[in-house]
Amino acid sequence: MSILQVISDSRVPKVTCSLVDSSGSERDILTISLQDNGIHVHKTLEKEDHYIIPPIPQIGSLIKEVIEEVAEELNAKAIVFRYGEESREEVDDLILSEAWYDLERLALAASKHAALSGDFETKVILGIVKFSASVYAATAIRKEDTFPLFQIFMDSSSGVPLIKVYNELGQLVEERRESVDDFETYVKDMVSSEDVAVVYGDSEVGFPSPKEITLEDGSRYYVGVIFKYFLGFFPSSSVKEVSSRRLLVKNKGKLVRTLRALLYVEKLGKDEGVEIVMSSHAIPLNLLPEELNRLTNRVTRSLKKRGLSYDLKEVLEDPYVEELRNYRPEYGSGEVYLGIRVIPVGFVIVTKSKEEFEQVTSRIANGPTNDGAEILDELVKKSVSGYFIGYLMSLKEALIIYSDITSELMKGDK
């Protein structure tokens, strides 16, 4: 039986893996490194294999997934993690160097990966990524080149967006704060040629990059807020009821406690943890913007008491939330009044390290185990209605499911 040994370098964004057999013989089989066009994965199993993955904000989860896939492929008995420079100590789990968490470097690499993946007969290919709720990046490349004409990084997490522009040599040539209404238009205006093709990267996964906050006493925190939703349907006797009736969430405290336990997130204490804020009612879609405004105000007050300032405008300015501001349910005569209801659930994450922040967001993203999912589904149904799904989803997912179900009902004339 063999063991997969994982060594994470504490100085640079590089992870190497070797296979150690029962006799102690060691063979290098995997190297993962961050370069300017993505995450390079080199495998040396039966034959050499090399591929490039676009970075995502949850970088640790992505790298661990690659490692676990290789471990499964090799039928390794166990995975041993080590971290450091020369004296690499054994650790309980994967630890990455700070270089892996350079948000700007990750975003620019993701945008270059997108640009190089484009296959267009145009003079310039423009790779654009929305890396997180507040971070964008773009890379412009000539069709015949592999090095960029320029790269742009934008971070709008703190008021007026911070813009950084890099030249073809990767040198920072401009840094300023400027209001930007549309990032794509802004970047296109910097390209001299009109023969441009745009490739959109897919790094944005619905979870925030942490905002780093340093208090007067020197304490440093990483803060982020995620909103997820429980979705359900409720047969109504009138259109008015579809757009106005709220459903009480019974035993909300028990639901919150169970959710925290199933996701393995600690309650927000003196220094760090996760506060879960949940609506007391399942509400119609047209009332969601108003309810989110109420919940975000509650979150802002809670963080302010801790001396932490966090702008939640990304939640309220989400394109799907904006669409709902003018949404009104419409049904013709004789159609079923099957109104959608959602329960907004906010996760307020406060940690003292980027690594811990990522681990928490990953647990929220992955959701409970299969057994835990069954427990959650049963409890949500008991707390609200049997027409509800005990699965935490994004607002986009909720709207897609609603659209699919109502479309099927309309096709069947039900």
Side-chain angles (χ1 to χ4, degrees):
M1 298 295 286
S2 57
I3 294 173
L4 184 66
Q5 180 174 251
V6 180
I7 299 175
S8 177
D9 197 308
S10 60
R11 300 162 297 179
V12 294
K14 183 179 179 180
V15 174
T16 56
C17 300
S18 58
L19 196 64
V20 183
D21 62 23
S22 55
S23 66
S25 298
E26 189 173 332
R27 179 166 64 99
D28 292 338
I29 52 129
L30 180 69
T31 301
I32 308 170
S33 62
L34 174 62
Q35 299 184 31
D36 68 350
N37 62 339
I39 300 164
H40 287 241
V41 179
H42 290 265
K43 291 182 182 179
T44 54
L45 303 177
E46 295 180 358
K47 61 179 181 178
E48 287 200 15
D49 186 18
H50 172 235
Y51 57 93
I52 306 172
I53 306 172
I56 62 172
Q58 283 71 37
I59 192 70
S61 299
L62 180 62
I63 293 171
K64 196 169 182 182
E65 184 177 321
V66 173
I67 293 169
E68 289 174 348
E69 284 179 359
V70 171
E72 184 176 348
E73 187 178 346
L74 294 171
N75 195 27
K77 180 181 179 181
I79 303 176
V80 175
F81 295 98
R82 296 184 182 278
Y83 177 76
E85 293 182 34
E86 295 178 2
S87 59
R88 290 157 175 169
E89 298 181 1
E90 185 173 331
V91 290
D92 294 334
D93 205 346
L94 177 66
I95 298 176
L96 297 177
S97 68
E98 279 295 313
W100 280 107
Y101 296 97
D102 185 333
L103 192 64
E104 181 178 326
R105 185 175 177 182
L106 291 173
L108 290 172
S111 70
K112 186 174 181 180
H113 182 277
L116 291 172
S117 69
D119 186 16
F120 299 95
E121 295 303 321
T122 56
K123 289 183 178 179
V124 177
I125 299 174
L126 192 58
I128 296 178
V129 296
K130 182 181 180 184
F131 197 70
S132 71
S134 58
V135 171
Y136 293 77
T139 297
I141 292 181
R142 291 189 186 90
K143 172 67 179 177
E144 65 275 9
D145 293 334
T146 57
F147 57 87
L149 287 168
F150 63 82
Q151 290 186 290
I152 299 178
F153 172 80
M154 183 177 84
D155 182 356
S156 61
S157 62
S158 302
V160 180
L162 172 66
I163 307 287
K164 290 185 177 182
V165 182
Y166 294 85
N167 64 15
E168 65 276 8
L169 299 177
Q171 299 167 326
L172 179 65
V173 293
E174 198 168 353
E175 181 175 350
R176 62 180 181 275
R177 290 194 176 273
E178 181 180 346
S179 294
V180 176
D181 295 325
D182 184 86
F183 184 70
E184 180 180 337
T185 302
Y186 181 84
V187 175
K188 280 182 175 179
D189 288 344
M190 297 186 67
V191 181
S192 57
S193 173
E194 294 184 0
D195 190 13
V196 179
V198 179
V199 180
Y200 299 96
D202 191 25
S203 291
E204 206 277 308
V205 293
F207 291 98
S209 303
K211 178 181 179 182
E212 185 178 322
I213 301 174
T214 303
L215 303 184
E216 291 182 357
D217 63 1
S219 301
R220 181 178 298 173
Y221 294 93
Y222 297 88
V223 182
V225 179
I226 298 169
F227 269 91
K228 304 284 276 185
Y229 301 84
F230 289 119
L231 168 72
F233 296 88
F234 191 75
S236 302
S237 58
S238 68
V239 174
K240 181 179 179 181
E241 192 175 79
V242 169
S243 61
S244 62
R245 183 171 177 184
R246 299 166 177 258
L247 304 177
L248 178 67
V249 179
K250 300 182 288 290
N251 298 318
K252 188 180 81 168
K254 180 180 179 181
L255 181 55
V256 169
R257 289 192 298 274
T258 302
L259 186 58
R260 179 179 286 113
L262 294 176
L263 295 175
Y264 300 98
V265 293
E266 296 291 334
K267 187 175 181 179
L268 183 56
K270 181 181 178 182
D271 285 326
E272 54 186 342
V274 178
E275 180 180 351
I276 300 177
V277 293
M278 183 186 296
S279 178
S280 299
H281 293 83
I283 57 172
L285 278 179
N286 52 291
L287 299 181
L288 181 59
E290 178 185 339
E291 182 67 9
L292 284 176
N293 189 61
R294 188 185 70 80
L295 291 174
T296 53
N297 285 337
R298 177 180 162 187
V299 170
T300 300
R301 289 194 300 270
S302 175
L303 290 173
K304 193 172 182 180
K305 288 179 182 178
R306 299 171 177 273
L308 303 172
S309 177
Y310 188 87
D311 189 354
L312 282 157
K313 67 179 182 179
E314 288 90 356
V315 175
L316 302 176
E317 293 177 358
D318 181 286
Y320 297 102
V321 176
E322 290 289 346
E323 284 183 22
L324 295 177
R325 294 192 186 280
N326 298 315
Y327 169 75
R328 295 293 180 272
E330 295 181 3
Y331 295 88
S333 176
E335 294 173 351
V336 172
Y337 301 126
L338 185 63
I340 187 175
R341 300 290 189 279
V342 290
I343 306 172
V345 183
F347 297 87
V348 186
I349 306 163
V350 180
T351 67
K352 301 197 79 172
S353 72
K354 288 182 180 179
E355 294 87 349
E356 178 62 23
F357 184 93
E358 182 184 320
Q359 289 171 17
V360 172
T361 55
S362 295
R363 288 197 288 273
I364 295 170
N366 294 331
T369 61
N370 290 337
D371 290 341
E374 291 180 10
I375 294 171
L376 183 60
D377 186 57
E378 183 180 345
L379 184 56
V380 168
K381 285 177 166 60
K382 286 182 179 179
S383 301
V384 194
S385 162
Y387 289 98
F388 268 73
I389 305 168
Y391 164 71
L392 281 171
M393 61 188 77
S394 67
L395 182 56
K396 179 181 179 181
E397 288 176 298
L399 294 176
I400 289 173
I401 291 172
Y402 173 58
S403 176
D404 289 345
I405 291 176
T406 50
S407 295
E408 287 302 313
L409 288 173
M410 296 306 177
K411 286 178 185 178
D413 292 323
K414 297 180 180 179

